[in-house]
Amino acid sequence: MFKKIETVISLVLGDLIYLISYFVPKDRSLWVFGAWFGEKYADNSKYLFEYVNEKHPEIRAVWLTKNKESFDLISKKGYEVYLMNSIKGYKICLRANKAIISTGIKDILPCTSSRIKIIQLWHGSPLKKIMFDDEFTFAEFKSLKSKIYQFMFPFILRKEFNEKTIFISSSEEVKNIFSSAFKIPKKNIKITGYPRNDFSDPITETRIKKFYN
């Protein structure tokens, strides 16, 4: 019973923060990074995060994590990092202009994301049907109960991939797959390759220029 009450309070507070986040002024130079629901310091987000820190002092790149080991590792590297559920974590995410993620909106703090621009790096090229193209995984997502839940708590099941989202891919074929799977316009999907594979300065600089728009 206590656990249910705690969950309801958390959802109501999340809705309130989500509303507040819409009115908080954004800092164009502040970018937040995360990966794997806050549990790992890894993947495409990690490589771009380190590059931005080293090459772009005009961007304030901040990593958010739930994992204390990741927090300690990033701190030792000299980068700015905050625990996701800390006061500083919330403040940073509320002010951030861009969120760079590799999995989903839960890579950062979903309840702060009402006006943040999503840059989805993803974590590979699909070998099977994913997201909305996977009718079995998303059958429940389309149910009336799920739609009511999405309406009541938009920060939990936010439509994170929309006309303002920037998505990257490795080829024209993968671009088509992502457009179908995530229901976003093809023009929003940039063929740049993945940071963890192509880490040369010219290629990475091209990515960053696309993200600035």
Side-chain angles (χ1 to χ4, degrees):
M1 182 66 179
F2 178 77
K3 186 67 175 177
K4 289 183 178 179
I5 294 173
E6 187 179 39
T7 300
V8 171
I9 292 173
S10 176
L11 289 171
V12 171
L13 285 175
D15 266 351
L16 179 60
I17 295 170
Y18 189 73
L19 177 63
I20 291 171
S21 74
Y22 187 83
F23 297 99
V24 175
K26 304 302 177 185
D27 180 347
R28 288 183 60 83
S29 67
L30 178 56
W31 296 13
V32 292
F33 292 71
W36 293 100
F37 314 113
E39 297 294 345
K40 298 179 182 180
Y41 180 53
D43 227 300
N44 289 312
S45 299
K46 169 190 171 181
Y47 289 95
L48 190 64
F49 172 71
E50 294 191 354
Y51 183 91
V52 170
N53 267 290
E54 297 299 326
K55 303 285 188 177
H56 285 271
E58 77 280 8
I59 298 172
R60 184 182 176 188
V62 181
W63 191 276
L64 292 178
T65 183
K66 295 178 181 176
N67 187 292
K68 187 61 168 62
E69 290 182 4
S70 294
F71 177 87
D72 292 340
L73 173 63
I74 299 165
S75 294
K76 286 179 182 177
K77 286 176 174 281
Y79 302 136
E80 191 172 3
V81 56
Y82 297 106
L83 289 171
M84 202 175 274
N85 291 319
S86 66
I87 292 175
K88 285 186 177 179
Y90 274 92
K91 287 173 67 176
I92 286 292
C93 221
L94 283 167
R95 294 277 290 129
N97 178 252
K98 292 180 176 65
I100 291 80
I101 60 178
S102 290
T103 310
I105 194 64
K106 291 183 181 179
D107 289 358
I108 58 163
L109 287 163
C111 63
T112 65
S113 67
S114 62
R115 279 179 55 228
I116 202 165
K117 183 174 183 178
I118 302 296
I119 298 171
Q120 174 57 269
L121 307 182
W122 202 236
H123 46 271
S125 298
L127 299 175
K128 60 181 181 179
K129 289 187 176 182
I130 60 172
M131 297 299 289
F132 292 101
D133 286 342
D134 182 356
E135 59 185 65
F136 297 104
T137 300
F138 280 85
E140 185 177 346
F141 184 79
K142 298 173 184 177
S143 68
L144 177 60
K145 180 181 178 181
S146 178
K147 288 179 179 179
I148 292 173
Y149 191 73
Q150 292 172 58
F151 177 77
M152 292 178 65
F153 308 110
F155 69 94
I156 292 291
L157 294 169
R158 175 180 181 246
K159 186 183 178 185
E160 58 203 64
F161 308 115
N162 55 41
E163 68 279 357
K164 294 182 179 179
T165 300
I166 295 295
F167 214 110
I168 70 171
S169 74
S170 57
S171 68
E172 192 69 37
E173 183 177 356
V174 173
K175 175 179 178 177
N176 293 335
I177 292 171
F178 282 157
S179 179
S180 173
F182 294 100
K183 307 301 182 190
I184 58 173
K186 290 182 182 179
K187 63 182 177 65
N188 290 38
I189 304 172
K190 314 299 180 182
I191 302 175
T192 68
Y194 298 120
R196 67 184 183 191
N197 297 332
D198 304 316
F199 202 58
S200 67
D201 282 10
I203 292 174
T204 307
E205 286 301 324
T206 298
R207 289 191 192 102
I208 291 172
K209 286 177 183 177
K210 292 179 184 294
F211 299 162
Y212 265 121
N213 294 333

